[in-house]
Amino acid sequence: MASSSLSLPATLRTLSSTLRTPPKISFPLHSLPVSSKPRDFSLAFTQIFSGVSELQPKKRLGIRAIASATDMASEKRVFDSGEDLAVSVAEYTAALSDQFAKKRGAFTVVLSGGSLIKCLRKLVEPPYVDSIDWSKWHVFWVDERVVPKDHADSNYKLAYDGFLSKVPILPGHVYAINDALSAEGAAEDYETCLKHLVTTKVVDVSAASGFPKFDLMLLGMGPDGHVASLFPGHPLLNENQKWVAFIKDSPKPPPERITFTYPVINSSEYIALVVPGASKVDAVYTALGGGNPQNAETLPVQRVAPEGVLTWFLDKDAASKL
């Protein structure tokens, strides 16, 4: 995998005004008090890959299919309901937050759009909202639509409405794109900011690839198997130099977007693919069950292969063909 330079231009372009102030939007950012005694999720983390936890027993979570705990590179979890899936995603995320906050004093989390934000709903409820050390969180987007932040198509707005406005993450730790720029300019601006955060050690760097190494990527998947804004058959699937790329011809509206590239995605320490719903069943089956038909193109999701651990969170509808 190609390495990438960490040099910065003389004038640092930052996201949405500055690194220290929240993006300018038409609605206020809320600020909630951070619990003075974060709950210790270390027990949950030590058991997280076996699907067993003292916090949420296996039976209660409705897990009916989990990969062997010895297969740590990739794991599948299938849940009987969306509620069980959301509880497991919350417990998994809280455990990693606790681990990285203690290990490196920061927790870098990458969000996507679509159904993912709804699946994070348990994080804004007790015990998680009151016990996670939100001051350590730094939030990024794996892709974003090049629209104003208050636009219905904005992944930022989706995350703000369903998640960010309900937890006390510091506004200066939320890295949205600069929506005043073109798609090309926004991608370049976002990559410049990431390079700054790598040099200041907010974001880790992969020793193997030289690309930024995020602690956790929370990804969704489309019915066509796309992840981020990496779509089947698109030339961006083969981009291996840039950290952030732009697209002006997305097959799914809106057409203009920015996206992390595979080298960045696959440098992650942990990736959770959160995929609920019957509309995803064929792509899930191709990726995890039946494989690709003869001469068929590899799905974008099949190229997700992190340096660390990949975990699939599926509901019974998405996994019904497995």
Side-chain angles (χ1 to χ4, degrees):
M1 190 175 291
S3 62
S4 184
S5 171
L6 299 182
S7 61
L8 288 171
T11 302
L12 174 66
R13 289 182 300 277
T14 60
L15 307 179
S16 306
S17 69
T18 73
L19 292 174
R20 296 183 178 84
T21 58
K24 293 182 179 179
I25 54 176
S26 59
F27 34 84
L29 286 170
H30 295 179
S31 180
L32 303 176
V34 179
S35 171
S36 60
K37 295 182 179 180
R39 185 176 180 182
D40 187 354
F41 285 97
S42 57
L43 174 61
F45 182 77
T46 59
Q47 299 176 326
I48 205 164
F49 296 105
S50 66
V52 179
S53 171
E54 295 297 327
L55 298 177
Q56 296 290 346
K58 179 178 177 180
K59 183 176 180 181
R60 179 180 173 186
L61 286 177
I63 303 172
R64 63 176 175 82
I66 300 178
S68 168
T70 60
D71 182 15
M72 296 298 284
S74 180
E75 179 190 9
K76 298 187 295 290
R77 301 183 184 190
V78 181
F79 301 88
D80 289 336
S81 71
E83 190 74 0
D84 293 335
L85 184 152
V87 169
S88 186
V89 169
E91 184 173 296
Y92 169 92
T93 304
L96 289 174
S97 173
D98 184 67
Q99 176 198 336
F100 283 103
K102 291 176 178 176
K103 176 182 176 181
R104 51 187 300 268
F107 182 44
T108 55
V109 183
V110 180
L111 303 179
S112 58
S115 61
L116 183 277
I117 299 302
K118 184 178 180 181
C119 293
L120 299 182
R121 63 186 181 274
K122 289 299 178 181
L123 283 172
V124 307
E125 300 176 3
Y128 310 106
V129 70
D130 301 318
S131 52
I132 289 173
D133 187 352
W134 297 104
S135 69
K136 300 296 192 292
W137 279 50
H138 293 259
V139 177
F140 305 83
W141 277 264
V142 71
D143 71 325
E144 179 58 287
R145 291 85 179 271
V146 183
V147 295
K149 292 184 183 67
D150 58 357
H151 192 281
D153 288 332
S154 167
N155 282 342
Y156 173 85
K157 184 180 188 304
L158 179 67
Y160 175 87
D161 290 345
F163 178 55
L164 295 176
S165 63
K166 302 175 183 181
V167 294
I169 297 172
L170 299 175
H173 290 183
V174 176
Y175 305 95
I177 74 166
N178 187 337
D179 59 359
L181 301 176
S182 66
E184 183 174 6
E188 184 179 353
D189 184 68
Y190 210 73
E191 180 166 328
T192 298
C193 180
L194 294 184
K195 289 179 177 179
H196 171 74
L197 294 171
V198 166
T199 60
T200 57
K201 301 188 184 303
V202 171
V203 176
D204 206 352
V205 64
S206 167
S209 70
F211 286 88
K213 187 180 190 70
F214 291 96
D215 300 329
L216 172 62
M217 282 204 184
L218 291 160
L219 303 181
M221 182 192 74
D224 60 354
H226 83 267
V227 291
S229 284
L230 298 167
F231 293 95
H234 198 278
L236 278 186
L237 296 176
N238 299 316
E239 174 59 58
N240 61 10
Q241 298 294 321
K242 294 179 179 178
W243 293 13
V244 185
F246 68 94
I247 178 173
K248 292 187 175 181
D249 57 351
S250 167
K252 179 181 178 182
E256 295 195 355
R257 301 159 175 246
I258 71 167
T259 183
F260 283 1
T261 58
Y262 280 116
V264 174
I265 293 172
N266 287 333
S267 293
S268 301
E269 187 72 22
Y270 291 88
I271 293 180
L273 269 164
V274 184
V275 184
S279 66
K280 318 291 179 65
V281 64
D282 289 334
V284 168
Y285 177 70
T286 297
L288 296 176
N292 297 76
Q294 188 174 6
N295 300 322
E297 185 178 0
T298 300
L299 297 179
V301 72
Q302 291 175 285
R303 299 192 185 198
V304 176
E307 293 179 9
V309 180
L310 170 62
T311 304
W312 288 75
F313 291 82
L314 307 166
D315 67 6
K316 62 182 180 181
D317 291 332
S320 62
K321 288 188 176 182
L322 296 179

